[in-house]
Amino acid sequence: MRYSSAPVSTHRLQLEPDFTLDDAVAQVDHLAALGITHLYLSPILQAKVGSKHGYDVTDHTAVAEGLGGDAGFARLVEAAHAAGLGIVVDVVPNHMTTPTPLSLNRPLWSVLREGRQSAFATWFDVDWDAQDGHILMPVLGAPLDEVLAAGEISVGEHEGEPVVQYYDHVFPLAPGTDVRMPLGDLLDAQHYRLASWTVGDSELNYRRFFDVTSLIAVRVEEPEVFDATHALLVDGIRSGAIGGLRIDHPDGLADPEGYLERLGDATGDAWVVVEKILEGDEQLPHTWRTAGTTGYDALLRIGGLFVDPAGAAPLDDLSTELLGERQDLAEIVIESKRWVVQVMLATEVSRLMRLVARARPDLEEAAAREVLEAMLVGMDRYRVYVRPGTPARAADREELEAAAAHGGESVKAAPDASTVRGVVDLALGVGAVRDEAARDEFVVRFQQTCGPAMAKAIEDTAYYRYVRLVGLNEVGGDPTRVGLPVAEFHGFAGSLLREWPQSMTTLSTHDTKRAEDVRARLFVLAERPDAWATWVRAARELATPLRADELDALTEYFLWQTVVGAWPITEERLQAYALKAIRESKLHTRWTEPDEAYESAVERFVSGVVTTPGIVAHVEAWVEATRLETRANVLGQKLVQLTMPGVPDVYQGTDLVDLSLVDPDNRRAVDYAERRDRLARLDDGASPADLHDEKLLVTSAALRTRRERSACFTGEAATYVPVGTTSEHAVAFGRGTGEGVDVVTVVTRLAGRLADAGGFGDADLELPDGRWCDVLSDRTFGGGATRLADVIGPDGLPVALLVRVGDES
């Protein structure tokens, strides 16, 4: 369905204490001038005090005080509406944060104080039986007896009530507790059990967000929980203050389809997009009441247009030369997933196995666990969508059986077929069982565990290990596919228009591993693999004095790509990123088990790279030598994203060239004053002074064209038409209505090889009949066969945005 409230375009703002709702108010006029139609806000509900992202919610009934509170949100709504802008809000339905003195999660506080008798006991996903009626709180720095002996736990008072305190953690005491009891006995009398943080992965008995123990899962599938946690946002939709919602991590929900049904009923089908990662050719379920995804599927295809497939083999050879072995991403993924499933998610797997034992006690425990782990390891997508009591699709059975087979390939002795069938049947909710409730719960929990296994193993492990071309290692990406044929892109865009015309598209988000322009630079490596190989060998030679024995070739090559992608970069930023990267890869050091000698070797190397004059000059020489290709990629992918089917989001700051890395680097403050000044200068008729200006010109022109001709982009009759060219180095498409094409996008791809060939020569662009004006250059063209060199020639921008002018046909 089409949504009347759908934005024409959005601009993502990351709210936090240093960029509040009133700071957003100050940018409203500028963002309206940029051409967007909606502000897209990060979570606004009360989160942990000082939160830099807002996903650690503590209270659903109020806008975060640190952002300006309810009054601040009202001021932003008023200012945005006065400027003709709507507001989209990020929703966090999956989890809340655990309590500290400054950030009390009062529903959870009640459960910790009163246990199963709490009025909020149904709010949180707790397996009470696993800890004999307690909630495990793994917050201690050592085992409990050691912490008690050290005197680190005390009894105090908070808001007039007695509490247990451990540094910045605070916990309530059960009603009737005698605070004069010995401290150990007092803790034994509570509804929670304090434990060392090290047992979280193996003993935790509440569902969490991925592996983040401080984020406890909320059972939003319960109607009363949904109503309580969504009331403020639903009221905002009904009042008109909020125009749309972005749903965080729907795959973590017990029933994504049911959640969206309830949300649609509550909001009258407001425009809603979901942060759903689609793998390969996976399709978003058409039964979901949503406008589409948050755009990682589009990001994958847009980027692919600007990657040269001819670079795959030589880049593979180069990484093999440097590493001394040829990497196989599939093997890396399997290895990473097996570790994640067996170590990081051990508590989740154990909870599933308790359900297996209840539902199918006839299955041998060790064999069943092996099958379950194999299914989690072998899944090639975030989850299937099986609802208890609803017949599963044949495709779901095929998926799960294939996952069991694929994930079990590395197991020495495969389980017998009857065990595989038994566990697969449980996951599908079919077959005879002893305990139907346990079976239904297994159906849900298995699917909720698949997502963390995928995300933590692939995005947060394997993608820090696979180094052929790290610019392809992106959320929702497929690093095995180097490049995308133009025809395949047109097919995707046409399908998007037919099936999800108001889905969001994106190039950068708060979760992308690299900002769009870092990827644009790295894509050049596939165009210049030989030159890159020569450059890397020379760089390694220059860095010989910096290379400690502990530093491995994989990490070094990963960092060289990062340096050329993000240059210029400060040592502080690169050091922070390098530490995150090596701990995420888990090859030599981990967050939970840091290797100081290895980390020191990496730190020394990074410091030397950014401070050694010869290396700095070498990096800058590469950046300058690839300026032409980078420029085409930066401007080309931006214009494609802003004019293809869907609702484009411009992540904060990416209207200029953005060379940020993964969070928290990509959440740094944005210089809006600079952007305001640059836009004003361009609007006054000044020519672009640099690539920043050129990107801002492309962004503003495309957004304004969308807004002025919205029927061509998001209207009921909006069309998408591939426009023919006679060069593989140009991609063109038209947007219009049923009456014809009114806007044509033309971009350059693989600009390096184009330059080697001497340019476009006599290659043509087949424009529809009529008169056309390029809004980026004010040049006009007639319809029919038009020389590409005239439209995007060497003296102008490598892109063009043509709009129909006059009445000629």
Side-chain angles (χ1 to χ4, degrees):
M1 64 179 289
R2 284 183 179 267
Y3 296 80
S4 59
S5 62
V8 178
S9 60
T10 64
H11 186 286
R12 170 78 173 198
L13 294 173
Q14 290 295 121
L15 301 171
E16 48 117 333
D18 292 328
F19 188 84
T20 66
L21 292 159
D22 284 319
D23 292 317
V25 168
Q27 306 308 327
V28 163
D29 289 344
H30 164 65
L31 295 175
L34 186 65
I36 64 161
T37 67
H38 283 64
L39 304 177
Y40 163 27
L41 307 179
S42 60
I44 63 171
L45 300 183
Q46 182 63 56
K48 184 177 179 179
V49 172
S51 175
K52 303 288 282 186
H53 50 76
Y55 291 95
D56 41 4
V57 177
T58 61
D59 183 0
H60 295 88
T61 66
V63 175
E65 283 299 322
L67 301 181
D70 295 334
F73 183 64
R75 289 190 292 272
L76 178 59
V77 170
E78 181 180 11
H81 288 183
L85 303 182
I87 289 181
V88 174
V89 172
D90 199 340
V91 183
V92 190
N94 297 283
H95 50 267
M96 298 178 72
T97 195
T98 52
T100 65
L102 295 178
S103 304
L104 287 188
N105 172 346
R106 297 198 180 277
L108 180 57
W109 186 263
S110 172
V111 176
L112 293 173
R113 183 176 54 210
E114 301 168 25
R116 290 178 170 178
Q117 304 308 311
S118 167
F120 296 95
T122 60
W123 272 53
F124 302 102
D125 194 349
V126 180
D127 184 2
W128 293 94
D129 293 338
Q131 291 289 337
D132 297 323
H134 298 79
I135 303 179
L136 185 74
M137 289 281 118
V139 299
L140 306 180
L144 177 60
D145 56 350
E146 294 181 18
V147 172
L148 287 172
E152 295 175 316
I153 294 179
S154 61
V155 176
E157 186 176 287
H158 181 70
E159 296 186 353
E161 123 177 59
V163 295
V164 170
Q165 294 177 322
Y166 174 72
Y167 295 101
D168 64 341
H169 296 281
V170 60
F171 298 93
L173 292 177
T177 299
D178 185 352
V179 298
R180 296 169 298 182
M181 298 169 61
L183 196 50
D185 294 340
L186 181 144
L187 291 176
D188 286 342
Q190 304 311 310
H191 295 288
Y192 51 85
R193 182 168 74 85
L194 301 184
S196 167
W197 66 271
T198 60
V199 304
D201 285 344
S202 58
E203 298 182 26
L204 194 71
N205 66 324
Y206 60 81
R207 189 166 59 84
R208 53 189 171 171
F209 176 71
F210 291 175
D211 64 332
V212 185
T213 305
S214 61
L215 296 177
I216 183 170
V218 176
R219 299 184 68 228
V220 75
E221 64 271 19
E222 297 293 331
E224 67 273 16
V225 179
F226 174 91
D227 292 342
T229 56
H230 287 67
L232 185 149
L233 298 171
V234 168
D235 287 346
I237 292 284
R238 291 174 176 172
S239 71
I242 299 173
L245 302 172
R246 177 261 192 193
I247 307 303
D248 183 62
H249 187 46
D251 282 342
L253 301 174
D255 180 10
E257 183 173 348
Y259 170 83
L260 291 171
E261 289 171 355
R262 187 172 288 116
L263 188 63
D265 289 342
T267 62
D269 279 316
W271 182 78
V272 170
V273 290
V274 292
E275 188 206 16
K276 167 61 187 167
I277 311 301
L278 297 170
E279 296 290 333
D281 295 325
E282 180 186 5
Q283 299 294 308
L284 190 67
H286 282 85
T287 53
W288 286 12
R289 283 168 70 175
T290 177
T293 74
T294 53
Y296 289 112
D297 46 337
L299 182 155
L300 170 65
R301 274 78 177 190
I302 297 165
L305 279 176
F306 300 90
V307 182
D308 191 344
L315 288 177
D316 224 358
D317 291 341
L318 177 60
S319 66
T320 300
E321 170 195 325
L322 298 176
L323 273 57
E325 62 178 354
R326 189 171 295 274
Q327 289 189 307
D328 184 319
L329 181 59
E331 291 181 0
I332 294 173
V333 167
I334 287 291
E335 178 185 350
S336 300
K337 291 187 78 173
R338 191 165 295 284
W339 183 89
V340 165
V341 168
Q342 293 180 343
V343 179
M344 186 177 290
L345 300 179
T347 185
E348 286 80 3
V349 174
S350 294
R351 187 170 184 179
L352 287 169
M353 284 305 302
R354 290 193 291 274
L355 294 171
V356 172
R358 285 170 49 195
R360 288 290 304 270
D362 57 305
L363 295 177
E364 198 274 320
E365 181 181 357
R369 188 179 188 109
E370 203 165 79
V371 172
L372 175 57
E373 291 180 350
M375 290 166 62
L376 291 168
V377 169
M379 282 286 289
D380 67 353
R381 60 195 62 192
Y382 271 66
R383 63 179 279 178
V384 293
Y385 298 98
V386 180
R387 304 175 82 177
T390 301
R393 304 176 307 148
D396 293 331
R397 177 173 290 279
E398 293 172 4
E399 175 74 24
L400 295 182
E401 289 177 345
H406 182 50
E409 288 175 354
S410 60
V411 177
K412 293 180 180 178
D416 65 275
S418 64
T419 304
V420 174
R421 185 168 56 252
V423 179
V424 168
D425 281 352
L426 271 183
L428 295 172
V430 300
V433 295
R434 176 174 293 182
D435 185 333
E436 292 186 357
R439 178 193 62 195
D440 291 349
E441 187 177 348
F442 182 88
V443 169
V444 171
R445 295 199 181 286
F446 170 75
Q447 294 174 87
Q448 289 176 303
T449 308
C450 290
M454 285 285 291
K456 298 307 298 182
I458 297 178
E459 298 168 21
D460 293 341
T461 304
Y463 283 179
Y464 288 95
R465 297 181 179 184
Y466 186 63
V467 295
R468 176 172 68 179
L469 180 56
V470 300
L472 299 180
N473 300 4
E474 193 49 82
V475 180
D478 183 0
T480 65
R481 297 189 63 185
V482 180
L484 184 80
V486 173
E488 191 170 331
F489 174 81
H490 287 317
F492 170 79
S495 176
L496 198 65
L497 181 64
R498 289 190 305 272
E499 300 181 28
W500 303 100
Q502 295 168 325
S503 182
M504 183 177 277
T505 67
T506 191
L507 287 178
S508 298
T509 74
H510 59 285
D511 283 330
T512 42
K513 300 302 179 186
R514 295 161 189 82
E516 58 203 59
D517 300 319
V518 176
R519 297 196 306 274
R521 274 195 185 171
L522 291 173
F523 293 162
V524 177
L525 274 55
E527 291 184 61
R528 301 290 193 199
D530 293 339
W532 169 246
T534 299
W535 186 93
V536 169
R537 294 182 190 113
R540 285 176 53 80
E541 183 65 28
L542 289 169
T544 298
L546 311 176
R547 192 177 300 114
D549 292 340
E550 292 87 351
L551 182 64
D552 57 304
L554 187 154
T555 296
E556 181 178 347
Y557 188 40
F558 186 97
L559 290 174
W560 283 124
Q561 292 184 62
T562 301
V563 167
V564 298
W567 194 265
I569 185 169
T570 65
E571 179 176 351
E572 179 183 16
R573 286 178 57 212
L574 188 58
Q575 290 285 13
Y577 176 76
L579 180 62
K580 179 167 185 171
I582 59 178
R583 288 183 174 177
E584 294 285 17
S585 77
K586 307 171 187 68
L587 289 170
H588 304 280
T589 188
R590 300 206 303 265
W591 294 106
T592 54
E593 296 181 33
D595 183 317
E596 294 184 6
Y598 178 76
E599 292 182 358
S600 295
V602 173
E603 181 180 8
R604 174 188 168 192
F605 178 78
V606 168
S607 179
V609 164
V610 297
T611 59
T612 302
I615 295 177
V616 170
H618 190 56
V619 173
E620 291 177 344
W622 174 264
V623 172
E624 176 60 27
T626 56
R627 185 173 56 83
L628 180 147
E629 296 97 321
T630 295
R631 180 186 184 223
N633 291 352
V634 166
L635 302 181
Q637 66 174 1
K638 195 67 174 180
L639 185 56
V640 168
Q641 185 237 343
L642 294 177
T643 55
M644 69 179 287
V647 175
D649 175 56
V650 176
Y651 183 73
Q652 62 172 29
T654 59
D655 41 349
L656 302 188
V657 176
D658 184 1
L659 300 176
S660 298
L661 298 168
V662 73
D663 69 289
D665 194 59
N666 61 11
R667 298 179 187 181
R668 288 172 296 136
V670 173
D671 188 344
Y672 284 104
E674 177 188 7
R675 285 157 175 78
R676 187 186 297 270
D677 291 344
R678 284 178 179 268
L679 185 61
R681 183 162 41 79
L682 293 173
D683 284 345
D684 285 342
S687 297
D690 54 20
L691 186 54
H692 287 297
D693 274 358
E694 291 177 342
K695 191 180 183 189
L696 181 59
L697 174 63
V698 167
T699 302
S700 59
L703 290 173
R704 292 168 179 177
T705 299
R706 286 186 67 92
R707 187 172 61 189
E708 294 162 5
R709 300 175 183 246
S710 59
C712 298
F713 297 95
T714 56
E716 289 279 353
T719 58
Y720 176 91
V721 181
V723 173
T725 73
T726 58
S727 171
E728 66 168 330
H729 296 285
V731 181
F733 55 81
R735 304 302 310 276
T737 63
E739 298 178 355
V741 171
D742 289 315
V743 181
V744 174
T745 291
V746 190
V747 303
T748 304
R749 64 190 292 264
L750 312 184
R753 285 207 286 113
L754 175 65
D756 293 343
F760 282 114
D762 293 328
D764 287 335
L765 168 72
E766 193 61 39
L767 282 174
D769 291 341
R771 192 73 183 163
W772 299 88
C773 176
D774 178 12
V775 298
L776 302 175
S777 68
D778 288 332
R779 291 179 298 159
T780 58
F781 306 92
T786 305
R787 292 181 71 246
L788 276 166
D790 293 336
V791 179
I792 46 177
D795 297 330
L797 295 174
V799 299
L801 182 60
L802 309 175
V803 298
R804 184 182 293 278
V805 293
D807 299 326
E808 302 96 326
S809 60

